[in-house]
Amino acid sequence: MTELTTDIAPEIEAAPSASRVRKVARVTGWVTLGLVCLIFFSILKLPEDRLQQFVQANLNAILAPRGITLRPGSTSIGILFGLKYDMRDVTISFPPPAPPAHLDRIVVKPSLLALISGRTAGSFYVEQDKGSLSADFSLAQSAQTMDIDLDLDARQFNLGKLNLFKTLFGVSGS
């Protein structure tokens, strides 16, 4: 009889630990499903029009002190693989007498990790005719100085068409 009790005892002790694992797995699965649904439906119901107007107003507010305005033909916001603001058929107006410049596409991707830590960083991509310009940037502002880290990669991109040198630095160039 003692042999039977020793054989049954391990089965009785193993059963509660298996049910605990199942409970933990079930709770973890429901919590994960809930979070995935929350994120999915939040993105689905995001007020894109308001967000696009907010971003556009902030861009124009940053450029306004220099007399520059930015008017995109169409805009879109992407959130799935990181925040991305995409503008197409963009017209940049400079202070007179400089003529306006036209760009096919501008994509701005802010770094959310940098924004959380209080810094400004990200990347942007610009298309014009056959050329493209991509850059990664980081701005660090202290009490007296502003440090700008900029990594540019230009391919057949004509900066002279944009009149940026003339507007920003007072020098003509391309």
Side-chain angles (χ1 to χ4, degrees), residues 18-95:
S19 74
R20 276 191 210 145
V21 170
R22 284 185 192 157
K23 276 185 178 180
V24 170
R26 185 177 299 141
V27 169
T28 304
W30 282 110
V31 168
T32 304
L33 177 66
L35 288 174
V36 167
C37 288
L38 176 71
I39 292 168
F40 176 74
F41 289 113
S42 295
I43 291 171
L44 192 65
K45 292 302 238 173
L46 190 71
E48 286 188 26
D49 293 336
R50 282 188 189 175
L51 199 54
Q52 288 173 359
Q53 291 171 2
F54 174 75
V55 171
Q56 194 62 43
N58 281 333
L59 279 174
N60 282 326
I62 291 169
L63 297 174
R66 297 201 181 270
I68 302 171
T69 57
L70 192 72
R71 286 176 298 193
S74 65
T75 61
S76 66
I77 291 183
I79 299 177
L80 195 56
F81 299 110
L83 188 59
K84 175 177 78 169
Y85 185 60
D86 192 351
M87 298 176 280
R88 295 188 184 261
D89 193 27
V90 180
T91 302
I92 303 174
S93 300
F94 299 102

Side-chain angles (χ1 to χ4, degrees), residues 111 120 159:
S111 170
T120 303
L159 286 172

